[in-house]
Amino acid sequence: MKNDLVAGHPPGALMNGMPNGDFSLQLQETQRPSSILIVDDEERIRAAYRQLLAADGRRVEQCGTGVEALRRLERRDIDVVVLDLNLPDIHGLEVMEWMVNKRVPTAVVVFSGEESIDSAIRALRHGAIEFVRKLGSPQELVDTVERVLRRRRIEREHALMAIRLEHSERLHRFLVEQSPDIIYTLDTNGHFIFINGRVEALLGYARDELLGKHYSLIVHPDDLEHARFAFNERRIGDRASTNVEIRLQTKTQGVRHFEHRTIVAILSSQGIYDATDNTASQQFKGTSGVARDITERKKAEETIAFQAFHDLLTGLPNRVLFKDRLGVALTQAKRTGKRLGVMFIDIDRFKLVNDTYGHHEGDELLKAFAQRVRSCLRSGDTLARQGGDEFTVLLPDLSSGEDAAAIAAKMLAELKHPFTIAGLNFFSTVSIGISLYPEDGDTPEMLIRNADIAMYQTKGRGKNGYLQFTPEMNNGHSMRITLESDLRAALEDGDQFELYYQPQISFGRGLTIGMEALIRWHHPRHGLMLPDTFIPLAEETGLIVKIGEWVLERALRQLAAWRKKGFTGLQMAINLSPKEFDRSDLPERLMERLEAHAVPAETLDIEITENLLMKDAEKTIEMVKKLRNNGLQVSIDDFGTRYSSLNYLRRFAINSIKIDQSFVRDLSPNNQSSTSIINAISSIATSFDLRILAEGVETESQREMLSSLDCDEMQGFLFSRPLTAADFEVFLTTSAFPSRPAAAAR
């Protein structure tokens, strides 16, 4: 009786559907090359990842459309398909649906540029084993395919072993015991009469501890009602329970070696009946089923969902989640007649921390600041990070505006204690703006906007304080208006701006090969202002074009002066705004200024952002071609932070790429991800014959790792912070990185 029940486990268990055949021939099948199919409409991406995935014992093929992929998959000899969702003819999800309907036994790894969480979840639910984003590390896809191929090999070996030992009790026991899933049989009362050894690895129970026990012992109490139908399943065939998601409880409730007290499993089960030809008289003997551990998949889905609504640095809600919570709180406040408040917080002088100590210390300050502010809030309040050094706070259930003011005062008092930055005490202050419902708005957008305006008013009055929004603030928004007026006056005057120069060096050659021109504003009242404090306003008001002209003129004048002194091996890098690219006469204006200063075109490096690449791509492509045809150098700044692809590198006639400092900052022997990313970028740049430069190099350890990754050209505080023209000239002659070899200098 017991053997009959074990043999009756449901469709999907390892014994089901074993083919007959000569095992010696089937054994040869295990030695065939693994087959990978890359499906992507971008030829460059297919070629690049075909090279990355190539290895001995592998066959890598590629298709550019969904129809081609379906035609190829019909042959049923592909192990893994690396599938893009956005294909030119049919969507990737349709390809997966076709594979499910046709029962194509190919594992699917979705490799997509889509950022939507829904896309990732839909792909997983359509049968994808893994979802990998294109903007992630190339090594992530390589590792994923390795895991899937390894699993495929194991599955194939198990299947072929089953053919050799078909119909034998020994084979049956072996497959059941080696299954990665829990396979069980219950009697008519729901007690275990068989369970395989996998239960010990997953739940911590020895087999003998469960035999004779009721299935409820291993089911999470909250899922008992949901699980009752599956564990008492009487139906068979297509009507039986399939993929029922439940939580299984571990023996110690402190799991396996055990990260959680439960695992998440999908359960498939069916009834077991006496083997008789008379269907009507078959007697029900119990239920058999298979439970598969999907804990890791659920964790991956939860991680994706968390990242969409939280700031990854601080773990706080992001602006999307904050706005949603504010909307819910407003609905409740309108229903109950209570008040609520919104705070907009900006850390004063945060840019100074980044520029002085580097972005790593800036990130540490943001995390410590978030913890400090959260300690000042009530349990029902929400602190969120809007971006950069800006935070917002939701304060529900306020009795009056004084309640919000009291919380703001508590924050200011808490911030009187110093933070530790680079081993030193740093006193951070904040500017806080407050808006209240219903006085200052009745929508999330209005309350956030008015709190923002009040925050700028606080900054305009000397920072380190808080103000509640008033209608007069909205009428003037005086801080920004005043700053815009001052900016216009500074452009007329021309003497308030100054260029600083940060060296770009070749470590291998021991030379300074160029510099990046960085603007500073000597404001009559606010002192030295860094670009982040006024460039966004200049972009918004259109003044950025005049600022760009000033930077170009001063930079070329200085470069010409240095060339006359013999520093002829330098290349000047300047940043161009997207608004400057909108002007069709840009190449002519640049060439006119180069000729006026007798500076060769190849010594000017125009830096553009990845965002600009995607804005009106065809127009930008044409403009870059014109610049290159005139001999100018063109670089992509902050490469890797947005959506650049191999296709962009192919279509844009650029000279070089600058690796963003966020990747450099994370470099360490223990962080394989950043190392792999930079290695991949370096390899791609080499294949496209592009110059590569790493920015934000702050430590000797980072420098050593970059050198080991064949990245020789660098820029960062390790070598020098931005310098005035006079100090930069001293650097060229006295530093460890002169502008020309020592022999030439003599």
Side-chain angles (χ1 to χ4, degrees):
M1 171 68 75
K2 186 173 182 179
N3 290 342
D4 290 340
L5 292 176
V6 173
H9 58 73
L14 294 175
M15 274 292 292
N16 194 43
M18 288 292 185
N20 293 313
D22 180 10
F23 179 73
S24 63
L25 296 177
Q26 298 292 337
L27 186 60
Q28 297 173 13
E29 184 70 10
T30 65
Q31 300 171 353
R32 71 172 176 82
S34 299
S35 56
I36 303 171
L37 177 63
I38 302 173
V39 184
D40 198 292
D41 59 332
E42 295 288 348
E43 183 179 354
R44 291 280 186 176
I45 290 181
R46 297 199 305 271
Y49 281 96
R50 182 173 185 175
Q51 182 177 358
L52 284 174
L53 294 173
D56 291 339
R58 284 189 192 171
R59 184 178 72 253
V60 183
E61 300 178 39
Q62 55 182 329
C63 292
T65 68
V67 172
E68 291 178 18
L70 297 183
R71 194 178 302 123
R72 180 63 188 87
L73 288 168
E74 276 187 329
R75 288 157 56 182
R76 299 174 180 270
D77 59 349
I78 297 296
D79 292 304
V80 181
V81 58
V82 178
L83 178 64
D84 187 13
L85 293 181
N86 293 319
L87 299 173
D89 48 359
I90 60 176
H91 198 272
L93 294 180
E94 295 178 66
V95 175
M96 286 190 276
E97 288 176 1
W98 177 90
M99 293 174 67
V100 172
N101 293 334
K102 294 290 185 178
R103 298 181 183 273
V104 176
T106 298
V108 180
V109 175
V110 171
F111 184 54
S112 175
E114 291 193 17
E115 289 296 302
S116 168
I117 296 177
D118 291 341
S119 296
I121 294 176
R122 283 201 304 271
L124 292 172
R125 289 178 177 172
H126 275 71
I129 291 180
E130 296 277 357
F131 185 97
V132 181
R133 287 188 170 87
K134 284 187 178 179
L135 59 80
S137 166
Q139 189 61 39
E140 183 180 358
L141 178 62
V142 175
D143 292 342
T144 299
V145 172
E146 288 281 1
R147 288 197 303 272
V148 175
L149 285 176
R150 187 160 53 248
R151 179 174 176 178
R152 295 283 294 178
R153 284 194 296 271
I154 293 172
E155 291 173 349
R156 187 160 62 232
E157 290 167 1
H158 282 182
L160 295 176
M161 182 66 73
I163 294 171
R164 184 182 186 188
L165 302 177
E166 187 174 12
H167 305 308
S168 72
E169 178 66 17
R170 176 184 172 194
L171 168 66
H172 183 76
R173 290 292 181 188
F174 173 78
L175 293 178
V176 169
E177 291 304 323
Q178 295 302 315
S179 170
D181 306 324
I182 295 175
I183 300 175
Y184 66 89
T185 305
L186 305 174
D187 63 16
T188 56
N189 295 316
H191 296 93
F192 288 105
I193 57 177
F194 172 80
I195 192 165
N196 69 346
R198 183 63 173 161
V199 70
E200 184 168 359
L202 290 181
L203 301 181
Y205 288 98
R207 188 194 327 241
D208 293 342
E209 292 181 275
L210 292 179
L211 293 178
K213 299 294 194 304
H214 195 263
Y215 69 82
S216 59
L217 180 64
I218 65 170
V219 178
H220 191 282
D222 294 342
D223 289 354
L224 276 173
E225 184 62 26
H226 179 57
R228 180 168 62 88
F229 298 99
F231 279 105
N232 292 286
E233 182 61 77
R234 288 174 173 261
R235 297 168 297 181
I236 61 175
D238 294 339
R239 298 177 61 240
S241 297
T242 303
N243 294 342
V244 179
E245 187 175 308
I246 61 172
R247 288 171 292 174
L248 299 182
Q249 206 162 231
T250 65
K251 176 182 178 181
T252 60
Q253 297 189 352
V255 197
R256 313 186 248 187
H257 309 297
F258 278 167
E259 299 177 32
H260 307 283
R261 292 184 300 172
T262 60
I263 68 168
V264 182
I266 51 174
L267 182 68
S268 300
S269 61
Q270 68 176 18
I272 305 173
Y273 294 85
D274 276 340
T276 174
D277 294 334
N278 188 349
T279 304
S281 64
Q282 285 183 341
Q283 183 179 1
F284 176 65
K285 294 295 185 181
T287 303
S288 66
V290 176
R292 171 162 293 178
D293 180 11
I294 60 167
T295 306
E296 294 304 318
R297 192 181 87 184
K298 294 295 292 184
K299 286 170 59 179
E301 291 179 359
E302 292 169 1
T303 298
I304 292 171
F306 180 86
Q307 291 177 350
F309 298 108
H310 292 79
D311 172 57
L312 298 185
L313 177 65
T314 61
L316 297 175
N318 61 14
R319 66 177 66 198
V320 176
L321 182 55
F322 180 82
K323 190 174 179 181
D324 180 74
R325 290 187 181 179
L326 178 55
V328 173
L330 275 172
T331 301
Q332 294 175 343
K334 291 173 183 177
R335 186 172 59 249
T336 61
K338 293 186 177 181
R339 308 172 77 186
L340 66 79
V342 171
M343 287 183 176
F344 205 107
I345 306 172
D346 185 89
I347 303 177
D348 302 326
R349 302 184 304 135
F350 178 74
K351 300 301 180 186
L352 178 62
V353 174
N354 270 348
D355 291 342
T356 304
Y357 300 109
H359 286 273
H360 173 73
E361 295 297 336
D363 289 348
E364 293 301 314
L365 174 59
L366 288 173
K367 290 189 285 188
F369 173 82
Q371 292 178 353
R372 190 89 63 89
V373 170
R374 193 156 37 191
S375 69
C376 300
L377 302 177
R378 303 167 299 172
S379 59
D381 300 336
T382 296
L383 172 65
R385 185 184 179 201
Q386 293 289 301
D389 59 347
E390 294 180 337
F391 296 79
T392 49
V393 179
L394 168 60
L395 304 170
D397 299 328
L398 296 179
S399 300
S400 66
E402 285 71 23
D403 292 343
I407 294 174
K410 184 178 179 181
M411 291 181 187
L412 295 177
E414 183 66 27
L415 291 173
K416 289 181 180 179
H417 304 292
F419 294 91
T420 301
I421 302 296
L424 303 173
N425 286 340
F426 178 81
F427 290 87
S428 178
T429 61
V430 293
S431 299
I432 304 174
I434 303 171
S435 63
L436 301 173
Y437 167 82
E439 299 97 311
D440 305 326
D442 58 1
T443 66
E445 294 80 9
M446 189 176 296
L447 288 170
I448 293 172
R449 173 179 174 273
N450 289 341
D452 188 18
I453 291 174
M455 182 272 292
Y456 272 105
Q457 287 288 322
T458 305
K459 281 190 174 295
R461 298 187 185 185
K463 307 178 181 179
N464 191 25
Y466 63 89
L467 289 173
Q468 183 177 331
F469 174 80
T470 62
E472 292 75 18
M473 294 180 184
N474 195 28
N475 294 336
H477 204 358
S478 60
M479 178 62 184
R480 293 180 68 82
I481 293 178
T482 301
L483 193 61
E484 179 183 346
S485 177
D486 292 345
L487 190 56
R488 293 183 185 277
L491 284 168
E492 292 294 329
D493 180 22
D495 291 335
Q496 294 183 23
F497 297 114
E498 181 181 7
L499 285 185
Y500 278 53
Y501 304 90
Q502 187 167 32
Q504 297 174 338
I505 64 97
S506 167
F507 188 85
R509 291 183 290 161
L511 295 176
T512 297
I513 56 175
M515 56 279 177
E516 181 177 5
L518 303 167
I519 191 171
R520 301 290 187 265
W521 181 11
H522 295 279
H523 192 282
R525 295 186 305 279
H526 302 307
L528 185 66
M529 298 181 69
L530 300 177
D532 288 346
T533 60
F534 62 89
I535 291 298
L537 178 62
E539 293 271 8
E540 179 183 333
T541 58
L543 296 175
I544 190 65
V545 175
K546 288 188 177 180
I547 291 178
E549 291 174 349
W550 185 93
V551 169
L552 177 65
E553 175 64 24
R554 290 302 176 94
L556 291 180
R557 183 190 304 175
Q558 185 61 66
L559 181 59
W562 281 330
R563 288 178 62 83
K564 289 179 181 178
K565 293 182 179 181
F567 301 112
T568 57
L570 298 175
Q571 187 175 80
M572 178 74 74
I574 63 172
N575 294 276
L576 282 191
S577 161
K579 290 186 180 294
E580 295 177 85
F581 254 68
D582 290 340
R583 298 180 58 174
S584 59
D585 63 343
L586 175 62
E588 291 76 13
R589 290 189 297 110
L590 291 174
M591 294 308 299
E592 178 185 339
R593 301 321 306 153
L594 285 165
E595 292 173 3
H597 292 286
V599 172
E602 63 270 16
T603 62
L604 182 61
D605 184 15
I606 303 298
E607 294 189 355
I608 59 178
T609 64
E610 287 188 278
N611 281 336
L612 181 59
L613 296 183
M614 294 176 291
K615 176 187 175 185
D616 196 355
E618 297 304 321
K619 181 179 177 181
T620 305
I621 288 171
E622 189 60 32
M623 180 61 72
V624 171
K625 285 182 179 178
K626 289 181 180 179
L627 296 176
R628 293 289 294 114
N629 289 339
N630 281 287
L632 294 160
Q633 307 292 301
V634 181
S635 301
I636 299 179
D637 194 16
D638 300 334
F639 183 79
T641 59
R642 299 296 178 191
Y643 307 99
S644 286
S645 68
L646 299 178
N647 187 46
Y648 283 130
L649 297 183
R650 175 180 65 83
R651 299 182 66 199
F652 287 87
I654 60 173
N655 300 93
S656 60
I657 54 180
K658 292 182 71 175
I659 300 176
D660 184 62
Q661 57 190 354
S662 62
F663 298 130
V664 176
R665 183 168 65 246
D666 294 338
L667 270 181
S668 72
N670 299 322
N671 190 338
Q672 189 62 33
S673 176
S674 289
T675 303
S676 299
I677 290 173
I678 293 179
N679 191 31
I681 292 175
S682 178
S683 299
I684 291 170
T686 300
S687 66
F688 282 92
D689 196 23
L690 298 176
R691 171 192 172 206
I692 186 170
L693 183 143
E695 57 183 358
V697 182
E698 299 180 356
T699 67
E700 179 62 21
S701 174
Q702 293 169 352
R703 197 280 306 162
E704 290 177 353
M705 295 192 70
L706 286 167
S707 295
S708 70
L709 294 171
D710 295 328
C711 181
D712 179 62
E713 297 182 9
M714 310 177 198
Q715 174 182 343
F717 284 4
L718 177 63
F719 311 106
S720 174
R721 63 190 60 209
L723 303 170
T724 63
D727 290 340
F728 184 80
E729 189 168 326
V730 172
F731 179 89
L732 292 177
T733 56
T734 63
S735 74
F737 301 95
S739 67
R740 50 192 181 275
R746 290 195 297 270

